[in-house]
Amino acid sequence: MNVHTKNEWEKYAQLIPQDYQQMLNRVNRASQVLTIDAEPEVAPTPKEVVWTRNKTKLYRYISDQPKKHKVPLLMIYALINKPYVLDLTKGGSLIEYLVNQGFDVYLLDWGTPGYEDRHMKLDDFIMDYIPRAVKKVMKKSNVDEVSLLGYCMGGTMTSIFAALHPELPIRNLVFMTSPFDFENTGQYGEMLNEKFFNIDKVVDTLGVVPPEVIDVGNKLIKPMANFYGPYVSLVDRADNEKFVKSFKLLQKWLNDGIPFPGEAYRQWIRDFYQKNKLIKGELVVRGNKVDLKNIKANVLNLAGQHDLIAQPHMVEALMDSISSQDKQYQNLPVGHTSITFGSKANKITYPTIGDWLAERSN
């Protein structure tokens, strides 16, 4: 806004009742946020690349503080969006919290697939990438055990990896809003029903699935709230700079989607949403049947009461399918994203994970 325009705004604003002035000021601030404000900086926790394969990078987070816990933690995110939601901003970062608690933290970043990656399957990520990353973590940290944390689809993939690799020394598994039972997925099930959704035609046509396809599908679960709700909230609370900061951070991440490799997407929709093979014990990955009973590590399984993507019953189903003696399920008062970012994440999620791991990482 130039000086001339600003002065005119202030002159006319004085002629308007105070309530309307405040409303117009909020509208003005909201328009600035959406049009001229700089994008926020994300992923502030210092890190180094310790391993790469194709587009994938393995990060190790750097801290001047001494490590308090012997067993390192490897975080595994979904093939959707970018994993910096786990390290969004200072004071609002699960990674920063765990690093400050003395954990040796790693993150597997899948990178941004291109059309050349369209033939990559879930098998490749689960059987090639995750095992090598785990071994690299143990070698780099000079330990003989490791903990894994999987968020969203990353947790589902982590459970399959753990079930197929019982020989690897996995001490702890943490799952954050990860779906395991796809029998009743609500509106997702309706949209992805094989009678109406031709997954082969989608993948064969697109090769890689654009992030916009995934984003629109997620938003259609509650279209009014998801398409318009954030902007209504911005106008209502544009005079709250703390809210504005959170809004900009989340919108940057939500709009920063990545393509989904076609063959992996075909498996994800058909084998999970349409056939529910994992929880039924029918899933086969690279010729190996996945038996969740092979999981014997300590397990912390977290659901979100308000999560519409990985609904609590989809998450809790894991508990009766594993052999772990030390296993806990908690349904937290959060949603799919607010489990990892926001005031409730800071107060509830971070200490829940940190305290549970601290007791089992020495």
Side-chain angles (χ1 to χ4, degrees):
M1 182 180 292
N2 60 46
V3 175
H4 178 73
T5 306
K6 182 178 180 182
N7 289 339
E8 290 214 348
W9 170 270
E10 292 175 348
K11 181 175 70 174
Y12 288 115
Q14 292 174 3
L15 303 176
I16 301 172
Q18 186 175 5
D19 287 350
Y20 288 97
Q21 286 184 37
Q22 292 173 349
M23 182 185 71
L24 287 171
N25 286 335
R26 291 197 301 271
V27 171
N28 183 49
R29 177 68 183 116
S31 67
Q32 290 177 347
V33 171
L34 296 174
T35 58
I36 63 176
D37 273 15
E39 283 196 349
E41 294 184 5
V42 295
T45 309
K47 59 184 180 294
E48 60 178 344
V49 177
V50 296
W51 176 76
T52 62
R53 179 184 173 93
N54 193 13
K55 312 291 174 57
T56 299
K57 294 179 181 178
L58 176 64
Y59 293 112
R60 186 185 194 183
Y61 289 86
I62 302 167
S63 174
D64 295 332
Q65 299 185 32
K67 299 290 187 294
K68 297 179 183 177
H69 308 290
K70 179 182 176 183
V71 182
L73 174 66
L74 171 60
M75 294 183 161
I76 299 173
Y77 189 58
L79 299 177
I80 309 165
N81 289 104
K82 294 184 179 177
Y84 63 73
V85 69
L86 294 163
D87 184 33
L88 209 49
T89 187
K90 273 190 167 297
S93 162
L94 175 58
I95 287 173
E96 176 193 48
Y97 177 88
L98 293 173
V99 168
N100 289 341
Q101 292 294 309
F103 289 96
D104 192 3
V105 180
Y106 294 78
L107 171 69
L108 196 56
D109 183 343
W110 301 117
T112 303
Y115 186 72
E116 66 277 10
D117 301 306
R118 63 192 180 279
H119 298 303
M120 290 191 69
K121 303 177 69 174
L122 293 176
D123 306 40
D124 302 314
F125 297 106
I126 293 167
M127 300 301 286
D128 296 333
Y129 286 70
I130 299 178
R132 295 189 186 188
V134 166
K135 291 174 183 177
K136 186 66 178 181
V137 166
M138 291 194 294
K139 182 177 180 181
K140 192 74 178 177
S141 294
N142 193 27
V143 295
D144 54 12
E145 286 184 294
V146 66
S147 296
L148 303 178
L149 183 152
Y151 180 22
C152 182
M153 178 190 183
T156 314
M157 294 168 65
T158 298
S159 73
I160 298 167
F161 159 75
L164 291 176
H165 295 84
E167 79 284 358
L168 289 178
I170 303 170
R171 183 187 287 194
N172 304 305
L173 290 167
V174 178
F175 300 108
M176 288 174 51
T177 58
S178 298
F180 302 102
D181 184 354
F182 295 77
E183 182 66 32
N184 178 14
T185 58
Q187 287 178 264
Y188 278 110
E190 298 298 324
M191 289 191 293
L192 298 174
N193 189 310
E194 57 189 325
K195 294 179 183 178
F196 315 112
F197 187 77
N198 189 332
I199 183 61
D200 291 328
K201 190 169 185 177
V202 171
V203 173
D204 294 343
T205 301
L206 297 174
V208 294
V209 181
E212 293 82 5
V213 172
I214 310 297
D215 183 53
V216 168
N218 287 336
K219 287 179 177 176
L220 283 174
I221 300 303
K222 292 184 71 174
M224 292 299 291
N226 291 327
F227 282 105
Y228 304 109
Y231 304 104
V232 173
S233 296
L234 175 62
V235 172
D236 285 343
R237 304 176 66 182
D239 51 2
N240 181 335
E241 284 302 315
K242 184 177 180 181
F243 172 83
V244 169
K245 178 184 177 182
S246 296
F247 174 89
K248 291 196 290 186
L249 285 164
L250 272 179
Q251 289 303 307
K252 175 180 173 59
W253 175 71
L254 288 169
N255 294 323
D256 199 11
I258 60 173
F260 203 132
E263 289 304 321
Y265 184 71
R266 195 194 310 264
Q267 286 177 286
W268 181 241
I269 300 303
R270 174 166 289 153
D271 289 354
F272 294 82
Y273 279 94
Q274 294 181 345
K275 302 294 186 183
N276 197 21
K277 289 184 177 181
L278 176 60
I279 207 72
K280 292 179 178 178
E282 299 172 359
L283 183 67
V284 175
V285 172
R286 197 172 285 174
N288 301 288
K289 183 169 282 191
V290 180
D291 186 354
L292 293 172
K293 288 291 183 186
N294 290 334
I295 295 178
K296 299 178 181 178
N298 307 322
V299 168
L300 175 63
N301 190 19
L302 302 178
Q305 292 175 14
H306 312 299
D307 192 345
L308 298 177
I309 295 176
Q311 298 174 53
H313 69 270
M314 299 169 64
V315 176
E316 187 178 10
L318 176 73
M319 305 309 287
D320 291 333
S321 300
I322 58 179
S323 301
S324 307
Q325 295 299 309
D326 181 351
K327 55 183 179 180
Q328 293 183 26
Y329 167 77
Q330 294 191 39
N331 192 4
L332 306 180
V334 297
H336 195 72
T337 302
S338 59
I339 194 170
T340 191
F341 175 71
S343 59
K344 289 184 179 179
N346 283 50
K347 295 175 183 176
I348 301 172
T349 309
Y350 298 177
T352 296
I353 293 173
D355 293 348
W356 187 87
L357 278 173
E359 294 178 5
R360 297 162 176 83
S361 298
N362 294 315

